[in-house]
C-alpha cells in the first residue's frame, strides 16, 4: 500500500526549517528518502532501517519509528538547493522484498 | 561510476505500436528496477531483477508489458499495442546487493502515445 506523505506542499524562506512526514498502514522494514527536481531523476538522500534509528548528513536528517510505521525528514536552515519534490519509499514485510513503494511526494519550495 | 543510462530519452509513438526501452545499470549493481511515473505522482513499481532473474512483477502490469535482463547486465522494457494511458516517464534504477542500499535512478524515458 502506498505510504501517505504530509504536507503535500510547503513554501519556505531560505534559512527556515521544514519537516516532511511519511506514514504507512503496514509494518515497515526500511524507509528511503529521495529528492527529485523538475525534469530530473530522483536522487537518493538516505535509508533508515527497522530498529528506530535516526540518520543525518549536513542539515538533512531523518527518523524512523517502526512501531508507529512512520518516518520524518527534517530539513534545517534550508537552502535554495533544497527545492524539489521529496518522496519517501517504503519497504514492507519481513525484509525479503527489496522493492519500494513510493508516496505521492511533498513539493518543497525555498525562496530567497 | 557512470550512472544509470536509459535510452531513448523521449519516445513518441502512435497508439497500437510496440515500443522498447533500454536501461544500462551501474555495472556493480545486481538489482535492477523499473518504475513508471506520471505527473504529480511518485514512482510506481513495475518489476525488478536480481541478476538475470525477474523476481517480481506488479499486478498492475498488463500482459502487454514485458521486461528482460539477459545475462544480468542491461535490461529492456517492451510495451506492446501501446495505449494512451501508457504515456508516462519510465524510470530504471539499480542498487547493490548484500544489504540495504539506495537506488540510483536513470534520467528516464518519456513515452508519449498519440
Amino acid at each position: 500500500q502506498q505510504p501517505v506523505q504530509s504536507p503535500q506542499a510547503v513554501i519556505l524562506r531560505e534559512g527556515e526549517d521544514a519537516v516532511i512526514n511519511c506514514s504507512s498502514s503496514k509494518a515497515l522494514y526500511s524507509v528511503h528518502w529521495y529528492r527529485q527536481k523538475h525534469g530530473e531523476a530522483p536522487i537518493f538522500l538516505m535509508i533508515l532501517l527497522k530498529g528506530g534509528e535516526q540518520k543525518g548528513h549536513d542539515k538533512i536528517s531523518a527518523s524512523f519509528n517502526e512501531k508507529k510505521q512512520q518516518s520524518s525528514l527534517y530539513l534545517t536552515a534550508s537552502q535554495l538547493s533544497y527545492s524539489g519534490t521529496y518522496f519517501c519509499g517504503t519497504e514492507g514485510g519481513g525484509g525479503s522484498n527489496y522493492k519500494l513503494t513510493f508516496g505521492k511526494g511533498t513539493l518543497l519550495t525555498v525562496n530567497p | 561510476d557512470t550512472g544509470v543510462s536509459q535510452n531513448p530519452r523521449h519516445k513518441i509513438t502512435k497508439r497500437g505500436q510496440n515500443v522498447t526501452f533500454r536501461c544500462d545499470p551501474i555495472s556493480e549493481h545486481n538489482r535492477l528496477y523499473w518504475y513508471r511515473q506520471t505527473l504529480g505522482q511518485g514512482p510506481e513499481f513495475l518489476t525488478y531483477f536480481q541478476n538475470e532473474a525477474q523476481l517480481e512483477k506488479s499486478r498492475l502490469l498488463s500482459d502487454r508489458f514485458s521486461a528482460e535482463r539477459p545475462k544480468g547486465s542491461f535490461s529492456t522494457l517492451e510495451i506492446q499495442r501501446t495505449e494512451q494511458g501508457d504515456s508516462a516517464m519510465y524510470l530504471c534504477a539499480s542498487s547493490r546487493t548484500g544489504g540495504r542500499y539506495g537506488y540510483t535512478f536513470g534520467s528516464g524515458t518519456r513515452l508519449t502515445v498519440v
Side-chain angles (χ1 to χ4, degrees):
Chain A
Q1 263 185 330
Q2 187 176 40
V4 176
Q5 288 187 233
S6 63
Q8 289 185 323
V10 59
I11 300 174
L12 301 175
R13 300 193 81 153
E14 208 171 358
E16 292 181 335
D17 303 340
V19 180
I20 300 171
N21 300 303
C22 175
S23 297
S24 174
S25 58
K26 287 191 166 184
L28 299 178
Y29 189 85
S30 72
V31 179
H32 293 215
W33 285 96
Y34 293 79
R35 176 172 61 214
Q36 185 177 32
K37 293 186 181 280
H38 184 68
E40 299 180 10
I43 300 296
F44 172 69
L45 295 176
M46 64 187 76
I47 180 173
L48 300 107
L49 301 179
K50 186 176 174 180
E53 63 173 336
Q54 191 154 357
K55 270 194 176 179
H57 63 85
D58 200 11
K59 295 182 179 127
I60 300 176
S61 62
S63 63
F64 175 27
N65 186 324
E66 65 186 88
K67 287 184 180 177
K68 292 185 177 179
Q69 295 152 198
Q70 292 176 350
S71 178
S72 295
L73 184 71
Y74 307 93
L75 302 105
T76 58
S78 58
Q79 305 168 17
L80 296 176
S81 61
Y82 287 4
S83 291
T85 301
Y86 288 77
F87 294 100
C88 67
T90 56
E91 178 191 4
S96 61
N97 204 330
Y98 302 108
K99 76 170 195 210
L100 297 180
T101 303
F102 287 90
K104 291 187 176 182
T106 295
L107 178 61
L108 177 75
T109 304
V110 181
N111 292 320
Chain B
D1 181 352
T2 55
V4 177
S5 175
Q6 289 189 248
N7 289 289
R9 292 294 307 274
H10 303 275
K11 179 71 177 179
I12 301 174
T13 191
K14 291 185 177 179
R15 192 172 51 184
Q17 297 292 305
N18 299 344
V19 294
T20 300
F21 311 140
R22 178 178 169 125
C23 171
D24 288 90
I26 292 172
S27 56
E28 310 88 71
H29 289 185
N30 292 330
R31 291 198 190 115
L32 185 148
Y33 305 83
W34 284 99
Y35 281 80
R36 177 172 65 187
Q37 187 175 29
T38 53
L39 196 62
Q41 301 295 317
E44 176 186 27
F45 173 76
L46 294 178
T47 189
Y48 94 95
F49 294 83
Q50 179 150 322
N51 299 313
E52 65 274 12
Q54 186 174 20
L55 296 186
E56 189 169 341
K57 185 176 175 180
S58 169
R59 286 171 290 182
L60 300 173
L61 225 57
S62 73
D63 291 341
R64 297 184 297 107
F65 287 71
S66 62
E68 293 184 339
R69 192 183 181 195
K71 302 180 183 178
S73 55
F74 70 92
S75 176
T76 58
L77 177 69
E78 181 183 17
I79 309 174
Q80 296 183 327
R81 305 181 303 281
T82 52
E83 302 171 356
Q84 286 192 322
D86 297 332
S87 295
M89 176 71 83
Y90 289 82
L91 293 167
C92 176
S94 67
S95 72
R96 294 166 57 187
T97 52
R100 289 301 186 286
Y101 299 96
Y103 292 6
T104 301
F105 280 91
S107 296
T109 294
R110 180 165 296 284
L111 173 67
T112 303
V113 182
V114 298

